[in-house]
Amino acid sequence: MIYDECQTEIGRLRFVLRENETLVRIFLTDHHWLSFVGNTPVKKSSELGKPIRQQLQEYIGGERKEFNLPFAFEGTSFQMQIWEALQAIPYGGTKSYSEMARFIGRPQAIRAVGHANSKNPLPIIFPCHRVIGKRKSLTGYAGGIEMKKQLLHIEGVII
């Protein structure tokens, strides 16, 4: 596994990719990163990470609305369904947890939607920051509420 990082206006982002340059994880906080590297041998490569770093910086700078990166991740079938549904939320848009549950045809699975979002291995790319509380409240986010607010602000969403 290879890693790289970039310092942005919203904080330091670290990401992990395979030798074939396939993105597998994005870390929004040092805490999650340290938990991961404690169990996984990784080496730094700024050269292999350059395309990912560039696209993340362009997005955070307001210059990019979509990502064009090879990625791979694993999860339960429910998690994969939620993560794929995140792609249906347009740039600058939001959905509530209950709207997401209805969107996937499981209207009672509101808490499960939140839990799946908390396990999203590619935040920002799969935009779980666009999922908010029913009353337009900002609820949990792996990078913290302030980072969620900043990501929404980049997209022009005012909460």
Side-chain angles (χ1 to χ4, degrees):
M1 296 284 226
I2 307 292
Y3 86 94
D4 196 9
E5 59 190 19
C6 58
Q7 188 62 41
T8 72
E9 291 83 2
I10 66 167
R12 179 176 32 205
L13 303 176
R14 290 189 179 103
F15 50 90
V16 176
L17 53 151
R18 294 182 182 148
E19 300 279 344
N20 66 1
E21 301 179 40
T22 301
L23 180 64
V24 294
R25 295 286 302 263
I26 295 175
F27 295 92
L28 306 174
T29 67
D30 288 340
H31 172 74
H32 293 117
W33 168 249
L34 294 172
S35 296
F36 177 79
V37 295
N39 302 320
T40 307
V42 293
K43 61 182 179 177
K44 186 167 172 98
S45 173
S46 295
E47 186 58 34
L48 288 178
K50 185 177 180 180
I52 299 164
R53 190 175 59 250
Q54 180 179 348
Q55 287 192 33
L56 286 169
Q57 289 171 326
E58 288 170 355
Y59 168 80
I60 291 168
E63 303 165 27
R64 174 176 289 279
K65 294 182 179 183
E66 296 178 3
F67 294 91
N68 182 20
L69 297 166
F71 63 85
F73 53 78
E74 296 177 3
T76 67
S77 60
F78 180 80
Q79 288 171 331
M80 299 292 275
Q81 184 180 23
I82 294 299
W83 300 336
E84 289 173 22
L86 293 171
Q87 295 292 307
I89 307 172
Y91 182 94
T94 60
K95 279 192 186 286
S96 70
Y97 292 93
S98 57
E99 288 172 321
M100 288 294 291
R102 284 193 305 276
F103 181 77
I104 63 160
R106 299 197 43 200
Q108 302 302 317
I110 299 166
R111 288 181 191 256
V113 167
H115 185 70
N117 277 349
S118 74
K119 302 296 183 190
N120 179 358
L122 296 175
I124 301 175
I125 308 292
F126 284 77
C128 53
H129 61 275
R130 295 178 188 159
V131 182
I132 61 175
K134 190 173 187 176
R135 293 180 181 82
K136 302 280 185 197
S137 61
L138 293 181
T139 57
Y141 188 64
I145 296 298
E146 185 57 33
M147 182 181 284
K148 184 173 189 168
K149 185 177 180 180
Q150 290 173 316
L151 289 167
L152 290 170
H153 182 73
I154 287 166
E155 297 185 13
V157 177
I158 307 299
I159 300 287

